[in-house]
Every structure is written in structure tokens, then in C-alpha cells.
Amino acid sequence: MTRLNVLVTSLVFLVGAGAGAQTLDFSGEVGLEARWFPQPPLFEGQRPSAAGLVFEPTLYGEFSERTSFVVSLLSRYDSADSNRTHSDVREAYLLTYGNLGDSSWQVRAGLGRVFWGVAELNNIVDIVNQLDLVEHPRNRPKLGQPMVHATLSGGWGVVESFLLPFHRSRTFPSPKGRLRSRFSIDEEPVYESSDESRHVDYAVRYTNSLGLLDFGVSGFVGTSREPSFLATRQSGSTEPMQADLIPYYEQIRQFGLDLQFTTEPVLYKLEATHVSGARNLALEEESYQAFILGAEHTAYELYGTPASFTLLGEWHFDGRGDRATNVWANDLFLAGFLSFNDVDGTELVAGLLIDFDRTSRSVNLEFKRRLSNYLQLRVESIVVLHSDPKDLAYDGRRDSFLGMGFYASF
């Protein structure tokens, strides 16, 4: 199932569904973006700047009081990275719901997105959807996942079950794109399962609240969303820096737990997983545990103004240590969120990410403000203070950037 096939199928679904809908609502966002990289590039063909357009329309319709559909698309043009010039279907599903005794049920079928977890920077329990890293390295945008998603809820909690019949591989920048790996990454992945991308995966999650405690327990069996990498040298090359990386997706089992304990002064967070069947950086199968511990505190009405300030700290730990296939082996994230709580929705975010094992350091800054009822300004910067070569997915040594975008909603 290529991106083009997914897009065409969803567009056909959109037209057919819209024709029979009793209620239709069309909304979305269009944006003009630019990025500037102040440092010279490491690789031939890379540019010091990039500009682009992004279009994200959403169509919502109702067939009846209890049956509706959603189609959400993304289309982007980027002047510097061919992989960022793409179109994709984020969501395209039918939703129906009803009552069962004192409980309620709903079924969603199609391409969907779900979110699990309580942490801010990264969510290790969140495994249903694949990440779209060509869109952004930090904001964790998600690809739409083919699914049948059934939910049963009542006073006893919420149970969700997922049938996931197709795997979508992770996206990466092109060889000429910034924020790329020092290795070239093959776009054709390799799978452990003989069914390859068509292996049927399963997931389940139970959530509930007990007083001040909100918790979720989850399980997943199927194809990993996080790839390990197989290395093959380019033809005729003996230099390791000229090696290709081939994404490899194993069959794994993951059990997850997320907790959020809310007190008046501090919000405490925990995410923890146990994963078996995955390969480590040495391509050896290794079961491991990972967790995220976090806390945040918000001060309101700063100096007698409507503004509020939130201070957040998170520790990300992966039991594989230096053998971990991701960058969250032993990291501390500190961030401050300043919200002016004004009519323009002005927000300022500053964060510092410190990797204790891999010497990586980076700072990120974000600013958001509405310029009118329909127009918003967003400014962001990621400053790479140091990048560790063990990070196979990205080589950020010269990829600090300043980005700006104007977004119009409709």
C-alpha cells in the first residue's frame, strides 16, 4: 500500500461519503513556511535555507445521528527536500456508536490516529501510529494507521481494542535534506515477518481514574514502529561513512503503563514499557524496560497579570543504554511554558535536552501568536550544541535552524 494508493483510495472514499452525508463541515489550515540553517551543510547538495507550503484540509460529515466520517489530508511542498514534498492521508474513517446497557460503545474503521501517554517530549507507550519524521524531528507528527478501533466505556473505565492490518514505515529526510543522517537511509524497509508490511497487529488499552490518579495499561503484539538499521556498503565503497542504512522492523510484544497523579502544586507523570523481540544497536535481540519520569508545576497570575508559567522536567531512560536504537537512552528534558492568556493566544516555550550517555545537547525555542481570527504566526528554533555520532537517524552537527510560518485557518 503506497502513499499514492492510500491517497487515491481516501479521496474516492471522501467523494462517495460526502455525496451521501446529511451534514458536511469543511475546515483546515494552509501555511507558508521558511527555514534558515546558519551553519554550512555537511553534505553535497544541501541548501542553507528552505521554503514551502503546507495544506491540511479536513472534511467531517454525518450520515445519521450515530454515524459519521472524517477525512483529513496533508499536502506539502518543500523547496529543498524532495521527501518533504509529499501528500498523505492522516485520517479517513467511519465512526458509529451506541449504548450497551449502562455502557456505551463505538467503532471506528479506516485510517486513524490515536494518542497514548502523559509525557511531553516523547511517549514510549504510544505505539499504534508510525511517526512522520520528515515533517518534523521533534513534534512527532503521525502517519494515519489502517485500523478497526473498538471502544467500550462505562463507570468502570474504558477498554479499547485495535486490529491493525497494515504497517507503515517511518519517513526520513532525503539525502539532500537537512536534519538527515550521516548515512543514506533506504526507503525500502526489511521485515522480520514473511507477511512484511501486511502482518496483522493487535493492541489493547484500559484507562480509568481513581481519585487524583489517571492511569492506562496497554499491550501490543506485532510489527515494531521503531526500526533498527541494517548496514550495507554502497557498491564499490570501502568507507563506512558511505554505508546505506536499511530500516528493519521486528515482531515485538510491548506492555505499557502510564500514570498521571494530579496534586494542587505539582503534576506527576510516569510512562513505563517492557518490550521483547526487538533488536538493539548491535542487531542482537534483547528484551528491555524503559521509562519516563516527569513532573510539572504551573504558577498562575504572574505579577498580577493573566499570564501563567509552567516548569516541566522529564527523565527518559532506556535499559539498553548504549545499545538503544533511539536517542532516549538516558536523557533529561527541562522546559518552561509561558502563556500570556491573552486574546491573541500568545505562548513562548523554551526547552533544553541533555543526553547523559551520548553527549548530545540541544535547545529549542517556540513562539506562537494569533495575528487575527484566522491567521497565526509560529516561530521556532532548534540549536544543536552537540550531536553524538551514535544517533543513526539524524546528524545535527550543523543543522541548527530558525523557522517561521504564517498559517491561515478556514
Side-chain angles (χ1 to χ4, degrees):
M1 183 183 291
T2 65
R3 287 190 181 185
L4 180 59
N5 290 336
V6 171
L7 181 61
V8 171
T9 301
S10 298
L11 288 175
V12 172
F13 169 79
L14 184 156
V15 174
Q22 298 178 2
T23 301
L24 283 176
D25 179 51
F26 184 69
S27 61
E29 184 178 82
V30 59
L32 176 64
E33 300 178 340
R35 281 180 179 177
W36 173 58
F37 298 86
Q39 297 169 298
L42 283 174
F43 305 100
E44 183 180 355
Q46 291 183 320
R47 300 178 183 178
S49 62
L53 291 168
V54 59
F55 179 53
E56 297 184 78
T58 297
L59 180 66
Y60 169 80
E62 293 182 355
F63 295 115
S64 65
E65 182 181 353
R66 295 190 173 186
T67 304
S68 61
F69 71 89
V70 171
V71 178
S72 180
L73 310 178
L74 178 142
S75 185
R76 173 184 294 280
Y77 166 77
D78 187 87
S79 64
D81 187 343
S82 59
N83 281 9
R84 292 196 85 215
T85 299
H86 68 290
S87 295
D88 187 55
V89 181
R90 294 317 203 197
E91 293 183 307
Y93 62 83
L94 289 169
L95 173 67
T96 184
Y97 64 92
N99 297 319
L100 183 63
D102 294 332
S103 302
S104 60
W105 61 268
Q106 70 174 32
V107 176
R108 179 168 54 158
L111 271 77
R113 290 183 293 182
V114 297
F115 174 80
W116 296 354
V118 294
E120 183 70 27
L121 182 64
N122 180 42
N123 300 101
I124 56 178
V125 298
D126 196 13
I127 194 173
V128 171
N129 289 91
Q130 180 60 271
L131 298 182
D132 187 3
L133 293 186
V134 75
E135 275 292 303
H136 199 282
R138 290 281 178 83
N139 290 346
R140 302 177 62 79
K142 297 179 178 181
L143 299 175
Q145 169 63 46
M147 66 173 66
V148 177
H149 176 194
T151 302
L152 184 64
S153 59
W156 42 266
V158 179
V159 173
E160 300 174 83
S161 60
F162 298 82
L163 177 68
L164 311 169
F166 184 82
H167 178 270
R168 302 193 67 185
S169 58
R170 186 166 295 187
T171 61
F172 299 98
S174 68
K176 293 184 179 180
R178 303 298 289 255
L179 297 167
R180 55 156 285 189
S181 169
R182 67 189 185 279
F183 301 106
S184 59
I185 298 180
D186 199 312
E187 295 185 0
E188 294 296 328
V190 174
Y191 291 90
E192 177 182 356
S193 170
S194 59
D195 293 328
E196 297 184 330
S197 61
R198 299 188 181 278
H199 183 274
V200 179
D201 305 335
Y202 303 94
V204 64
R205 188 169 190 244
Y206 172 74
T207 56
N208 204 349
S209 298
L210 299 175
L212 301 178
L213 179 66
D214 300 315
F215 69 92
V217 180
S218 58
F220 172 87
V221 178
T223 307
S224 176
R225 271 45 180 169
E226 177 184 297
S228 53
F229 293 97
L230 308 176
T232 59
R233 300 182 190 278
Q234 294 178 353
S235 178
S237 173
T238 59
E239 296 293 330
M241 293 296 285
Q242 298 299 317
D244 283 328
L245 294 179
I246 302 176
Y248 179 80
Y249 294 96
E250 309 94 336
Q251 292 297 300
I252 67 167
R253 295 167 299 283
Q254 173 175 303
F255 298 95
L257 171 68
D258 55 276
L259 304 173
Q260 182 168 286
F261 187 71
T262 305
T263 67
E264 185 174 346
V266 180
L267 184 66
Y268 299 96
K269 303 178 180 183
L270 167 70
E271 291 189 28
T273 58
H274 173 83
V275 181
S276 58
R279 294 194 181 193
N280 57 30
L281 197 61
L283 298 179
E284 301 169 338
E285 186 173 316
E286 177 180 1
S287 297
Y288 68 95
Q289 293 78 38
F291 64 80
I292 301 171
L293 288 174
E296 66 177 65
H297 171 71
T298 300
Y300 299 95
E301 298 182 349
L302 294 176
Y303 304 105
T305 70
S308 61
F309 179 75
T310 299
L311 182 63
L312 167 74
E314 291 180 350
W315 178 32
H316 299 247
F317 181 81
D318 189 309
R320 295 172 294 179
D322 286 342
R323 303 182 305 279
T325 55
N326 57 60
V327 298
W328 314 110
N330 188 12
D331 297 70
L332 178 65
F333 179 61
L334 301 173
F337 302 80
L338 178 61
S339 176
F340 290 85
N341 295 318
D342 56 357
V343 295
D344 297 318
T346 308
E347 297 180 358
L348 179 64
V349 180
L352 172 64
L353 180 62
I354 302 172
D355 190 326
F356 293 119
D357 290 341
R358 293 182 174 176
T359 69
S360 296
R361 306 284 188 274
S362 63
V363 174
N364 68 285
L365 303 169
E366 297 180 33
F367 174 78
K368 299 179 182 179
R369 182 180 176 87
R370 281 197 302 271
L371 303 178
S372 70
N373 289 337
Y374 303 101
L375 185 63
Q376 185 184 59
L377 168 67
R378 302 174 197 166
V379 181
E380 69 167 336
S381 178
I382 294 181
V383 181
V384 180
L385 305 177
H386 189 270
S387 179
D388 194 295
K390 292 180 181 178
D391 180 3
L392 296 181
Y394 288 100
D395 190 330
R397 286 175 289 168
R398 296 185 184 176
D399 278 347
S400 300
F401 71 87
L402 173 66
M404 178 180 294
F406 294 92
Y407 303 87
S409 57
F410 56 88

